[in-house]
Amino acid sequence: MGKGRKHWLLIADDEEAFSEVAARLIGTIISRHPHCVLALPTGRTPMGMYDHLVAMYRRGSLDFSGVRVFNLDEFYGIPRRHASSYATYLRQRFLTRVNVRGENVHLLSAQTKDPVGECRRHEERIRDAGGIDVAVVGIGHNGHLAFNEPGSRFDSRTRPVQLSPECASQVGWNQPGTPCNALTMGIGTIIDSRQVVLMASGARKAEIVARALSGEVTAAVPASVLQRHPHLTVILDQAAARLIKGL
Ligand code: PGA
């Protein structure tokens, strides 16, 4: 982890506690900054966090009416209501269960005929919102950050990408062997956020978490760039933290 920077490492006992810690952190940020701009992840990792945030909203302890939301990435060409669509995921698991206002939600369109323009507009909307306050991100088994696969430039911006066969085979919406395209915030876009929260849980993530956090900063492990971020909070469970040196 970087020196001279605001870096925190929170390690929860298990996956349930991990989701709760993440939700409490995001909840605290929203309570202190009701108009904050969030970049939000999808995938398995944050599911429990969203459930806890919804529960906090239902208890009346959290108000999302001023919060602005951007998504990190989306498959390109996926049918709009497909279960693997990240927009569908975010709407069903989170956005429609809390009082985020529709006009404050900015999701990359999987169906656009102009993917390059769609990515440019995502960047413009982020700029118009005053930049991202907090980017909440996961990490892929190959170290990818959003859909920035190994080899992605650290100064990359939101753009169309083609996913590696390894990554494409995990996502399960296209036929095996066919190209899998996506739109993703760039590493540069994520790194420009004022704060980054990295979440990872489970033993299967232990090796890549250790490489990303205590290995060389290299484009071969895109998430390793987070070591250079001035304000990073890493939330892990014990299983995912197990191989980090010096713990
Ligand atoms: P996961 O995906 O949460 O489903 O493990 C994380 C990622 O690929 O960024």
Side-chain angles (χ1 to χ4, degrees):
M1 306 278 282
K3 292 192 177 64
R5 301 178 169 114
K6 284 206 246 175
H7 283 184
W8 284 279
L9 177 57
L10 308 175
I11 302 177
D13 283 344
D14 54 31
E15 201 170 343
E16 176 56 29
F18 159 83
S19 297
E20 212 176 313
V21 168
R24 261 202 250 124
L25 175 67
I26 302 305
T28 302
I29 290 168
I30 292 170
S31 298
R32 288 188 187 154
H33 308 282
H35 295 277
C36 63
V37 179
L38 301 178
L40 292 180
T42 47
R44 192 180 161 278
T45 308
M47 286 179 178
M49 174 188 77
Y50 289 128
D51 286 341
H52 280 288
L53 286 172
V54 169
M56 289 156 86
Y57 165 69
R58 288 185 178 156
R59 284 200 301 272
S61 52
L62 215 43
D63 175 17
F64 293 88
S65 60
V67 172
R68 287 161 291 169
V69 170
F70 289 83
N71 64 346
L72 288 172
D73 48 9
E74 177 62 288
F75 298 112
Y76 180 58
I78 192 168
R80 219 161 73 83
R81 295 188 190 284
H82 194 285
S84 296
S85 146
Y86 285 172
T88 299
Y89 170 119
L90 270 182
R91 287 199 184 96
Q92 288 183 350
R93 291 187 177 276
F94 181 53
L95 298 172
T96 58
R97 301 167 73 202
V98 297
N99 66 334
V100 177
R101 297 155 72 107
E103 67 266 31
N104 289 343
V105 175
H106 306 286
L107 304 180
L108 284 158
S109 166
Q111 292 288 301
T112 177
K113 292 194 168 45
D114 175 17
V116 172
E118 174 68 6
C119 291
R120 197 189 55 242
R121 284 189 292 277
H122 208 56
E123 288 279 336
E124 286 167 1
R125 287 189 286 254
I126 291 169
R127 238 186 345 262
D128 291 349
I132 295 166
D133 292 309
V134 185
V136 186
V137 298
I139 180 172
H141 294 285
N142 62 359
H144 75 202
L145 196 55
F147 272 143
N148 294 286
E149 295 276 68
S152 300
R153 290 176 57 113
F154 285 170
D155 62 358
S156 55
R157 309 306 299 190
T158 305
R159 68 199 186 288
V161 290
Q162 192 164 83
L163 303 181
S164 65
E166 181 200 3
C167 181
S169 72
Q170 283 172 27
V171 298
W173 75 270
N174 62 331
Q175 294 301 313
T178 58
C180 188
N181 299 303
L183 310 179
T184 186
M185 266 189 202
I187 294 180
T189 319
I190 293 167
I191 280 296
D192 280 351
S193 307
R194 293 177 188 91
Q195 180 177 357
V196 177
V197 176
L198 171 67
M199 299 175 65
S201 62
R204 290 180 314 134
K205 292 282 173 77
E207 194 183 326
I208 195 62
V209 163
R211 281 179 70 198
L213 298 182
S214 50
E216 184 196 352
V217 176
T218 165
V221 183
S224 66
V225 73
L226 298 177
Q227 292 182 38
R228 294 184 181 161
H229 196 280
H231 191 170
L232 172 69
T233 304
V234 178
I235 306 176
L236 306 173
D237 65 359
Q238 296 272 6
R242 162 174 81 87
L243 299 177
I244 298 175
K245 292 195 195 90
L247 278 186

